[in-house]
Amino acid sequence: MSKILFVITGVDHWTLADGTRHPSGFWAEEAVAPYEAFEAAGHEVVVATPGGVVPTVDKGSLAPEVNGGQEAADRIAGALASMTALQRPIKLAEVDLADYAAVFYPGGHGPMEDLAVDTDSGRLLTLALESGKPLGVVCHGPAALLAATKEDGTNAFAGYRVSGFTNAEETQAGLADKAKWLLQDRLVEVGVDFQEGEPWAPKVVVDRNLVTGQNPASSAPLAVELLKKLA
């Protein structure tokens, strides 16, 4: 059994342009779907967060309307409750990449707040990319890529084809005009070849050992692609 590292945001909010705190954290489906796929394939999931804090789920991601109904929402909540790794995270700064077969970053708006500027995360992402190990990042998770700066000042992911939460999706979610910055814009600024699909439809992009997904619906198919690389 190999270990897969989940790097999850450690915050419970996202600071908007006017300084108000929008309640956030990680998005439930983006953690649950890959977790279940990896565990079913016989892998062990280890969670790491900045400072080793227990991660906060975005309450909005537990709502029936984003999960296809109350029954599905209840199943997601139950699955989260059974993910014991979430309750005992390790400190991101103490992660040794050699201990893991793959690395995965779920989204939620939380990464826009902390992982986007976290040097420990940026260093880990750069090492993971260079190692050739499977690296999966979904939805707002690619905000973490912004902190992956090489010694020459360029971004480690410049030139890579990457998907992530789009400006169109942020606009439809009602938050684009309130944000300090938009993920798609910032990724393009650092040289990423941003791949945009239809809003809310699954889209997974594979470029070398990097597997990225556009939105929550992309998390399950992303897990499938990551597992192919572990086979």
Side-chain angles (χ1 to χ4, degrees), residues 14 17 111-113 116 143 146 170 176 179-183 185-186:
W14 174 39
M112 302 271 283
E113 184 77 20
L146 299 172
E170 204 72 85
K180 288 182 180 179
W181 49 272
L182 298 177
L183 178 61
D185 291 346
R186 194 62 69 84

Side-chain angles (χ1 to χ4, degrees), residues 33-144:
Y35 183 93
E36 291 181 334
F38 299 151
E39 291 262 308
H43 302 287
E44 176 188 353
V45 170
V46 176
V47 171
T49 63
V53 302
V54 174
T56 298
V57 65
D58 187 320
K59 300 297 189 293
S61 68
L62 300 175
E65 54 268 28
V66 299
N67 287 295
Q70 188 63 55
E71 186 177 340
D74 290 344
R75 194 198 76 76
I76 286 281
L80 269 183
S82 69
M83 288 169 59
T84 54
L86 286 172
Q87 301 307 315
R88 40 182 173 81
I90 63 173
K91 293 180 180 178
L92 181 56
E94 296 176 0
V95 165
D96 183 350
L97 181 62
D99 294 338
Y100 303 96
V103 178
F104 173 70
Y105 279 65
H109 281 105
M112 302 271 283
E113 184 77 20
D114 61 352
L115 298 180
V117 293
D118 189 294
T119 54
D120 293 319
S121 174
R123 188 161 49 248
L124 175 67
L125 283 166
T126 302
L127 287 172
L129 193 66
E130 293 172 348
S131 74
K133 292 183 177 183
L135 171 61
V137 195
V138 70
C139 200
H140 287 93

Side-chain angles (χ1 to χ4, degrees), residues 211-224:
V211 185
T212 53
Q214 178 171 313
N215 46 37
S218 307
S219 53
L222 183 152
V224 171

